[in-house]
Amino acid sequence: MAETKSHIGTQNKKGQTYTDPWKMLNEAPRKPSFYTGSEVIKEAIRRASCDVMIAYPITPQSEAAALIGELFAEGYIGDYFRGESEFAVMSQCAGAAFGGARVFTTTAGPGTMRAMENFPMWAGARLPIQMIVTCRGINSPLSIQPDTLEIAYLLNTGMLVWHAETAQDFFDWILKGYMVSEEPDVHLPLALCCDGFFVTHTKDVVNLTPTDMCLPPYDPYRSPVPCMDMECPPVRMMRDPFVMKSNYISYATHASWQQEVWAAVERSRKHTIHWLDGLIDTENADAEVMIVASGTAVSQGREAIRLLEDEGVRCGLVKVKSLRPWPAEEICEATKNAKHIFVPEFNVTGWLAKEIKATIPNSERVHAGPHVCGGMTMPPEIIVSEIKTALGLRSESLAGRGS
Amino acid sequence: MSKERIKISPDLYDIMPSDYQDLVQSATYGKEDRGWKDIGTSKELIEQHSLCAGCPESMAFRYILASLPNPEDTVMVGSTGCTSLVFPMVAVHNIHSLFGNQNAIASGLKRALSVRFPDRVKDVVVLAGDGATVDIGLDMTLQAWFRQEKFTTICFDNELYANTGGQESGLMQKGFVAKMAPVGKLFDKVRLPEIARESGCHYVVNCTVSKPSLVEKVIRNSVLIAREIGPTYVQLYTPCILEIGKNSMEGLQEMRDSEKPTERFAYKEYVSEPAKQLLAELATKDKERKAAAKQLAGKA
Ligand SMILES: Cc1ncc(C[n+]2csc(CCOP(=O)(O)OP(=O)(O)O)c2C)c(N)n1
Ligand code: SF4
């Protein structure tokens, strides 16, 4: 096998210096830049030392996927191409990761669903691919608007799932994501989600690390399973393939591996806490009324808290950053004083509220909602109204609803 | 992988599995003229298999693995089906991920290996059933060819879905009554070799596996052309004796019957102009090498 050595301090072909990731992300000077979310994805990948990016157009991620093509043309990525469908793209990503490459791709909505068979395969094969999911509607009638329903399907694939609120989250978490998912005791794919358009197509000031610094390259020989490059000697893996056998050993093999994948998700917890500075962020954690949210619902929740404060209602906030690993203990702790817990969500089924109800004691405290779906915006007034109604406070009727 | 890498540390020798010891001592790794005649004398990359007794796929597997020009640096990609039961017992790295996505996996793999090892030869070989190649995976098969991906695609054409019990496949003959084709298959056998040629493959062969020397030549050519020029496709008739109701001894005859000049597996070969040129160059080099070796042997 190739020697595992440190690249830190040396330069890549583009003249970027491989930098200690902790120093690059926490100590290097940052430059404020006014960019769309899609441009921020490009900027993160510029610094990510990616070997292979595979693209397929679907709104709202097409722009990011195209911008990364420009990076390839500039020589920042080893290879880049458009696959023939999302199912194929995710398979191509798998092939590249099996071959020991650091792999990146982006998708959304129906694309995520079409590719779905690949995700448990990625996790089972321990491929640390990073996939950006810029969430959008998945059901008929066709919609391109943001709707986080697809996250619910990703939660049980064995992938790590993070939900970014802002473009700044995106920039930092793309780079940090590789640090967590490539740890030898984790080595799992990461679905880094955001609410399409709200994050991808709006401009924001994002603090970027210097362009001449990049992550150290991926070392595939730190993988817990062999890299498929014939650099380590092959052996016949089994005398008797268990796949089609109906016997205890075959069940046990599959079961123990499935459990190992989920154990790896658990082992990612300590690394995620280290890099993301906790799985959740909190504000006013001692309040009796709490909002628990992920993605841009967090921003709307923050605004609702400000409006409620004006009306004399004190409200706290939990921002859930990582959905897998799931911050069960943190959410229990942060909501222990809460009499009412509100979970605003950009989807119709309320998957986050269900997860929270299944996690905390006295789950009747959880008010699942408000829900907006189909790409609707969530005015903070809706959250305020939901909270005031539940607390028995008079709430002015919202415009458009009639009275 | 260099042949050196498979040496065993003397201290660990006695605890290595015997399979592994045999591989190190007597595999054909590093041997330039390896071929099907090594079967039974050198350690094979496949020995046991879990296919039905007498299944022609098992012969095909042996010939193919014995004919790989560079097994030390070859990764194989398979797909769900009868072949996927064999891969766990094959001593080259092999990837089985899902049903039908083999050419997409191979595309990503070949590109990753090219990025990581720009100065080394790493061959990728796809081997999948006809259902995986021509039905569920057809778009990925074709698009890999359109994109000129540099790997070989081998289809084990048993003209049906064997692993799930004999359902209709695109490569099945018209009129054949199969599960899920209750009144007989309604359309012709898909002309994949022709499609492969039109899609940009530089070497296309349609044949049976009744003649090991022929399989050896075809596999060597297809891997060497894919390595240097672009995609290659080999369609091999490996009849599913179980589903067509033959005995374990009857597979060979079934193949001989189907390779007659008027039959569907009559030998057909297409070689593109650049591929012809490459084969001619390789043949010249081979001659020179053999002559030099003879001279050396004469001196010794
Ligand atoms: C998505 C998906 N659909 C269906 C199957 C079930 N399946 C397993 S093998 C197979 C047929 C394989 O046929 P073929 O590719 O011709 O290979 P053979 O078994 O004949 O060698 C099918 C349909 C599957 N594994 N995955
Ligand atoms: S089912 Fe058919 S193709 Fe599969 S192993 Fe048996 S004989 Fe061979």
Side-chain angles (χ1 to χ4, degrees):
Chain A
M1 248 188 280
E3 296 302 312
T4 298
K5 61 175 192 290
S6 170
H7 292 263
I8 291 174
T10 64
Q11 289 194 339
N12 67 12
K13 276 194 294 207
K14 287 296 291 179
Q16 292 174 300
T17 304
Y18 295 120
T19 307
D20 177 324
W22 187 261
K23 287 197 177 134
M24 174 170 137
L25 287 159
N26 295 295
E27 294 165 22
R30 295 261 186 158
K31 187 171 161 210
S33 314
F34 192 49
Y35 275 149
T36 65
S38 304
E39 289 166 335
V40 167
I41 295 174
K42 174 186 180 182
E43 287 310 315
I45 294 304
R46 190 195 295 282
R47 294 152 174 87
S49 303
C50 273
D51 297 306
V52 179
M53 151 74 179
I54 303 158
Y56 197 84
I58 186 167
T59 309
Q61 61 81 45
S62 306
E63 200 181 341
L67 289 170
I68 292 162
E70 292 177 9
L71 278 185
F72 168 64
E74 290 168 36
Y76 284 96
I77 301 178
D79 205 346
Y80 171 95
F81 65 108
R82 179 194 56 74
E84 51 271 46
S85 70
E86 288 84 357
F87 178 81
V89 165
M90 301 316 161
S91 305
Q92 283 144 358
C93 286
F98 272 119
R102 179 177 285 157
V103 182
F104 183 73
T105 192
T106 52
T107 193
T112 315
M113 301 315 284
R114 178 156 298 189
M116 197 50 92
E117 190 186 1
N118 283 277
F119 304 138
M121 182 270 282
W122 284 4
R126 308 299 288 274
L127 305 173
I129 299 161
Q130 186 168 156
M131 171 175 72
I132 297 284
V133 187
T134 61
C135 297
R136 70 170 258 192
I138 52 175
N139 57 299
S140 196
L142 189 63
S143 163
I144 59 164
Q145 301 305 329
D147 185 319
T148 61
L149 203 49
E150 65 195 290
I151 295 180
Y153 296 86
L154 288 168
L155 291 177
N156 299 321
T157 56
M159 293 179 77
L160 308 177
V161 184
W162 297 355
H163 196 177
E165 177 193 355
T166 60
Q168 184 70 58
D169 283 350
F170 241 175
F171 179 77
D172 292 338
W173 295 3
I174 288 172
L175 298 165
K176 292 174 177 180
Y178 282 118
M179 294 303 100
V180 175
S181 65
E182 290 170 4
E183 282 289 346
D185 59 345
V186 180
H187 231 266
L188 286 175
L190 167 67
L192 175 48
C193 307
C194 78
D195 308 343
F197 290 111
F198 299 154
V199 179
T200 52
H201 285 60
T202 50
K203 278 202 164 189
D204 203 353
V205 176
V206 178
N207 292 311
L208 304 180
T209 57
T211 39
D212 60 357
M213 292 183 182
C214 63
L215 293 183
Y218 171 54
D219 177 358
Y221 304 121
R222 292 175 78 225
S223 167
V225 295
C227 173
M228 294 285 160
D229 61 4
M230 285 299 277
E231 288 299 302
C232 68
V235 283
R236 275 187 219 87
M237 288 192 240
M238 290 163 241
R239 278 179 177 274
D240 199 11
F242 56 78
V243 206
M244 306 302 280
K245 299 274 187 287
S246 292
N247 63 26
Y248 184 73
I249 290 178
S250 74
Y251 306 151
T253 308
H254 190 80
S256 60
W257 187 246
Q258 213 171 51
Q259 289 169 53
E260 157 56 15
V261 167
W262 285 94
V265 174
E266 280 309 302
R267 293 194 297 265
S268 75
R269 188 178 292 277
K270 57 184 180 293
H271 304 295
T272 316
I273 291 170
H274 173 71
W275 284 101
L276 296 194
D277 193 22
L279 305 181
I280 63 169
D281 287 341
T282 57
E283 285 172 33
N284 298 342
D286 58 338
E288 289 190 355
V289 179
M290 293 293 285
I291 293 172
V292 184
S294 66
T296 52
V298 176
S299 309
Q300 305 310 94
R302 252 195 222 106
E303 198 52 26
I305 290 173
R306 204 181 53 75
L307 295 174
L308 284 164
E309 234 164 53
D310 291 346
E311 301 198 34
V313 180
R314 189 158 184 276
C315 179
L317 177 75
V318 175
K319 166 176 170 169
V320 181
K321 297 189 277 192
S322 165
L323 297 161
R324 291 289 180 273
W326 173 244
E329 272 179 32
E330 290 88 340
I331 291 175
C332 284
E333 177 63 24
T335 56
K336 69 172 190 254
N337 298 320
K339 295 209 169 95
H340 303 275
I341 298 163
F342 294 85
V343 189
E345 287 184 69
F346 282 95
N347 68 74
V348 71
T349 61
W351 50 260
L352 183 59
K354 283 181 198 153
E355 294 264 322
I356 294 164
K357 277 187 188 169
T359 300
I360 62 169
N362 307 326
S363 64
E364 71 286 351
R365 296 179 291 160
V366 176
H367 303 256
H371 295 146
V372 293
C373 49
M376 296 279 185
T377 53
M378 188 188 302
E381 290 81 1
I382 291 183
I383 305 176
V384 170
S385 164
E386 183 108 0
I387 291 176
K388 285 172 71 179
T389 306
L391 296 180
L393 300 171
R394 242 186 86 78
S395 168
E396 271 175 44
S397 55
L398 292 169
R401 273 203 180 168
S403 55
Chain B
M1 188 183 73
S2 126
K3 193 168 185 290
E4 296 307 299
R5 188 153 286 154
I6 61 169
K7 277 190 178 154
I8 303 174
S9 154
D11 296 338
L12 300 177
Y13 206 91
D14 55 338
I15 59 160
M16 293 301 282
S18 61
D19 257 8
Y20 196 80
Q21 292 181 11
D22 293 348
L23 196 68
V24 173
Q25 278 168 0
S26 58
T28 52
Y29 282 144
K31 189 174 158 189
E32 223 160 332
D33 295 315
R34 63 193 305 278
W36 77 274
K37 290 203 178 85
D38 291 309
I39 294 174
T41 55
S42 284
K43 178 70 178 177
E44 293 176 41
L45 302 185
I46 172 178
E47 286 177 6
Q48 307 94 339
H49 66 78
S50 51
L51 298 167
C52 301
C55 173
E57 282 194 2
S58 66
M59 293 156 75
F61 253 110
R62 287 226 152 93
Y63 302 156
I64 290 167
L65 285 160
S67 314
L68 293 175
N70 179 29
E72 305 91 303
D73 281 298
T74 301
V75 184
M76 296 192 72
V77 182
S79 185
T80 312
C82 285
T83 54
S84 57
L85 298 184
V86 178
F87 272 116
M89 292 169 286
V90 168
V92 294
H93 282 178
N94 60 82
I95 299 173
H96 167 246
S97 64
L98 298 170
F99 183 35
N101 66 350
Q102 60 282 350
N103 281 41
I105 293 273
S107 301
L109 175 69
K110 179 71 191 182
R111 282 159 180 265
L113 296 178
S114 305
V115 169
R116 293 188 55 225
F117 303 96
D119 307 321
R120 297 252 307 273
V121 170
K122 292 267 177 189
D123 293 321
V124 171
V125 176
V126 162
L127 199 168
D130 46 306
T133 307
V134 86
D135 294 332
I136 192 170
L138 185 62
D139 67 336
M140 288 170 276
T141 306
L142 294 184
Q143 294 277 346
W145 295 342
F146 299 157
R147 286 193 308 264
Q148 293 287 293
E149 303 284 355
K150 288 179 152 182
F151 60 80
T152 299
T153 303
I154 303 171
C155 171
F156 277 4
D157 179 6
N158 54 19
E159 304 196 295
L160 45 75
Y161 294 8
N163 196 248
T164 37
Q167 292 83 14
E168 175 186 303
S169 119
L171 288 184
M172 183 176 270
Q173 301 172 69
K174 187 174 178 179
F176 194 91
V177 177
K179 287 166 201 155
M180 301 185 195
V183 294
K185 188 182 175 228
L186 295 176
F187 61 99
D188 280 327
K189 185 174 173 74
V190 172
R191 294 192 293 276
L192 197 56
E194 288 166 48
I195 297 172
R197 192 191 64 208
E198 292 299 319
S199 306
C201 284
H202 290 271
Y203 183 73
V204 181
V205 168
N206 180 47
C207 65
T208 77
V209 295
S210 70
K211 300 182 189 75
S213 298
L214 187 70
V215 179
E216 181 183 306
K217 186 193 91 182
V218 165
I219 295 302
R220 253 187 97 74
N221 286 351
S222 61
V223 174
L224 295 174
I225 292 169
R227 183 191 291 173
E228 298 296 333
I229 300 175
T232 57
Y233 175 60
V234 180
Q235 184 165 316
L236 298 173
Y237 183 40
T238 53
C240 173
I241 45 173
L242 192 77
E243 290 297 334
I244 60 172
K246 303 263 170 182
N247 292 326
S248 52
M249 299 305 285
E250 290 172 341
L252 190 57
Q253 193 54 47
E254 167 65 22
M255 291 190 282
R256 285 182 177 147
D257 290 344
S258 338
E259 69 195 15
K260 290 179 180 145
T262 52
E263 290 296 329
R264 41 195 208 293
F265 288 98
Y267 185 82
K268 265 191 229 131
E269 184 185 71
Y270 163 75
V271 195
S272 75
E273 282 310 316
K276 272 185 199 154
Q277 217 175 325
L278 177 79
L279 290 181
E281 284 165 23
L282 290 173
T284 312
K285 270 192 207 148
D286 215 34
K287 240 189 216 161
E288 285 168 5
R289 185 176 57 83
K290 280 186 181 147
K294 221 176 188 178
Q295 221 175 11
L296 211 69
K299 272 186 198 154

